[in-house]
Amino acid sequence: MDARADDYFDVARRIWGFAEVGYKEERSSALLQETLRAAGFTVTSGVADIPTAFTASFTTGEGPTIGILGEYDALPGITQTDRPVREEREDVAAGHACGHHLFGAGSAAAAIAVKQWMEDNDVAGTLRFYGTPAEEGGAGKVYMVRAGLFDDVDAVIHWHPSDGNSAHAASSLANKSAKFRFYGVSAHAASAPENGRSALDGVEAMNFMVNMLREHLSMESRTHYVITRGGEAPNVIPDFAEVFYYVRHPDMATAAENFARVVQCAEGAALGTGTTMDYEVIHGAYNLLPNVTLSRLMHDNLERIGGVEYTADERAFAEEIATSFTGTGGKNLATAATVDSFRIIRKGQGGSTDVGDVSWVVPTVGLRTATWVPGTSAHSWQAVAAGGTSIGKKGMMVAAKAMTLTAMDLFRQPATITAARQELLEQRGSDFKYQALLGDREPPLNYRD
């Protein structure tokens, strides 16, 4: 894997350069498909009615089926070069501020290595790479779960870029989102305001009520929004406005309840402002269901690989970019080389991921590696910058190696797969039936428009 590290990072850098947002990752998806096809995988594109989703499979005979997840969507509105100072790119309107370029390429590197090992050692089974688009609010994996693409899988492996190295058995926040659209009546804002009904007033009234609602939600709840349309000119009362909401909680049922209260705020806002309102659910994701059996295995393999050691140039980069950190930033740079002690974290915290839905139907395990300078916040220009450098490359290869070892163990240890499956069944309960939080809607292929 070390001998091919430059090749894999070239794939990651090209995806970093494409910086394609959710469901628009045509070049990124095609590049990963090409890479896996060239390595001997059978590729099926456009799965789950998503043009940029795909699977790449390799089968040697009857045996376990192990899945590896790969992401590749960028975040809109944040661009950055690979320098340690703020320097926006002018050629793109998005950036890999969550490191998904490394995620996709690193997972592909692991899949290729495992395939080679299976061939060299006559290991029977199926290895399947899942190309999963639009993790950032588009819930690509949810549609793939709903389409039954994980029904025959025994275990799933994934990872995520970070500013440290860990393989905790950790949960996440469930998340449900929607675009709320208000419709009013346009009029001249100065000469005939009495004839108008402001759609923006509807949005602002909704936001005001939701902000009051926060006092009456549990401490673990998270609700945030952006106004995506607010009118075109101050002297025209806007007849259309839109606000995009995320509603999160460690428990998916509570997240759904909180979302229903946000909808009531929108309905009240429309009534009070003389406007009308409708909304479109964009995505919904379960909280991650941690699997301790698999996480301990992954942790042991991560410790075997170790963290990221900086060269003198990389340390200089890290020291310079660390001067830009605010808030809780500024961790000891030496932590990039260490692996966190194993922990079990059953109550979700931090962000959300559509891996959550996968984890409720298949035993799932993940890890994080130091692709960013310690202290870096995800979704920041600093994450984009480091992810385009050799620091990102090193962290990506740590993840690829740990995933490779874990997949090898699972193919050789049927008892571990059995124990992981039993743990999943016990956690979710005998009456569990998978139902996507986003309902039966089709993939929102244009949600970034």
Side-chain angles (χ1 to χ4, degrees):
M1 295 183 77
D2 286 335
R4 296 198 61 186
D6 288 343
D7 295 334
Y8 294 128
F9 187 60
D10 178 66
V11 172
R13 270 289 303 202
R14 290 172 66 186
I15 296 173
W16 183 90
F18 298 152
E20 297 170 306
V21 297
Y23 295 130
K24 308 294 185 182
E25 317 99 328
E26 288 89 356
R27 290 176 293 174
S28 303
S29 177
L31 177 57
L32 288 171
Q33 291 181 52
E34 174 189 330
T35 301
L36 290 158
R37 190 179 288 112
F41 285 81
T42 300
V43 176
T44 303
S45 59
V47 298
D49 296 322
I50 302 172
T52 55
F54 69 93
T55 60
S57 299
F58 173 74
T59 300
T60 57
E62 196 71 29
T65 297
I66 306 300
I68 297 178
L69 306 181
E71 299 173 6
Y72 33 87
D73 62 321
L75 280 159
I78 181 167
T79 69
Q80 172 64 27
T81 67
D82 58 3
R83 298 189 61 224
V85 295
R86 188 70 170 110
E87 183 179 77
E88 295 185 19
R89 291 172 58 189
E90 297 181 356
D91 58 324
V92 292
H96 275 285
C98 215
H100 294 178
H101 64 301
L102 300 169
F103 191 157
S107 292
I112 292 168
V114 175
K115 173 185 175 293
Q116 185 65 55
W117 170 79
M118 292 174 70
E119 290 177 316
D120 292 345
N121 295 276
D122 296 322
V123 176
T126 296
L127 176 66
R128 187 177 301 142
F129 181 98
Y130 289 85
T132 63
E135 187 277 336
E136 297 289 357
K141 297 180 194 64
V142 177
Y143 298 99
M144 298 171 81
V145 171
R146 199 178 67 181
L149 296 180
F150 293 90
D151 288 354
D152 63 340
V153 182
D154 293 294
V156 167
I157 300 169
H158 71 104
W159 77 288
H160 201 283
S162 186
D163 69 336
N165 308 291
S166 64
H168 303 316
S171 188
S172 63
L173 298 180
N175 186 3
K176 187 169 184 177
S177 74
K179 291 183 177 180
F180 293 85
R181 299 174 177 126
F182 288 79
Y183 306 88
V185 179
S186 61
H188 195 293
S191 64
E194 69 278 7
N195 294 333
R197 297 293 182 270
S198 173
L200 180 59
D201 284 353
V203 164
E204 291 190 306
M206 175 187 177
N207 294 344
F208 184 72
M209 285 191 282
V210 171
N211 286 329
M212 290 192 294
L213 176 63
R214 295 178 194 276
E215 179 184 3
H216 308 289
L217 300 179
S218 64
M219 290 291 290
E220 299 88 356
S221 299
R222 295 289 184 271
T223 305
H224 17 266
Y225 59 85
V226 291
I227 298 175
T228 49
R229 286 284 300 277
E232 307 302 327
N235 62 338
V236 179
I237 293 175
D239 61 2
F240 177 76
E242 179 185 81
V243 60
F244 192 0
Y245 265 84
Y246 277 20
V247 180
R248 312 192 203 224
H249 191 274
D251 172 66
M252 56 198 177
T254 304
E257 292 170 2
N258 290 350
F259 179 84
R261 297 182 72 179
V262 169
V263 171
Q264 290 177 329
C265 290
E267 293 169 341
L271 179 63
T273 57
T275 59
T276 59
M277 181 277 301
D278 60 36
Y279 67 93
E280 178 187 6
V281 172
I282 299 299
H283 94 293
Y286 281 28
N287 49 294
L288 273 169
L289 196 60
N291 194 289
V292 177
T293 301
L294 296 183
S295 293
R296 291 191 186 280
L297 179 67
M298 178 75 88
H299 174 77
D300 290 345
N301 286 321
L302 178 58
E303 282 200 319
R304 177 178 171 185
I305 299 300
V308 175
E309 298 283 353
Y310 289 161
T311 65
D313 288 344
E314 290 164 349
R315 184 168 186 83
F317 177 99
E319 289 174 345
E320 183 171 358
I321 205 169
T323 63
S324 67
F325 295 160
T326 58
T328 58
K331 293 181 183 177
N332 185 345
L333 298 184
T335 59
T338 63
V339 175
D340 290 356
S341 300
F342 181 73
R343 288 191 293 158
I344 299 172
I345 309 169
R346 297 202 180 274
K347 178 173 282 191
Q349 50 192 275
S352 308
T353 173
D354 54 8
V355 179
D357 288 57
V358 177
S359 73
W360 280 78
V361 298
V362 185
T364 301
V365 64
L367 78 158
R368 294 176 176 268
T369 63
T371 62
W372 310 326
V373 175
T376 300
S377 171
H379 297 197
S380 68
W381 69 262
Q382 294 95 334
V384 183
T389 71
S390 58
I391 290 175
K393 170 188 172 183
K394 287 182 174 180
M396 178 186 78
M397 294 310 298
V398 167
K401 292 174 183 179
M403 288 191 295
T404 297
L405 291 176
T406 301
M408 291 164 61
D409 286 340
L410 291 174
F411 276 113
R412 293 179 295 195
Q413 299 175 15
T416 301
I417 292 177
T418 299
R421 182 68 183 176
Q422 184 60 35
E423 182 180 341
L424 170 64
L425 295 175
E426 290 175 357
Q427 284 194 84
R428 71 185 193 183
S430 59
D431 59 347
F432 172 80
K433 181 179 180 181
Y434 177 75
Q435 291 182 309
L437 282 178
L438 47 76
D440 60 359
R441 69 150 300 152
E442 297 300 310
L445 302 181
N446 297 314
Y447 84 107
R448 287 301 190 193
D449 292 350

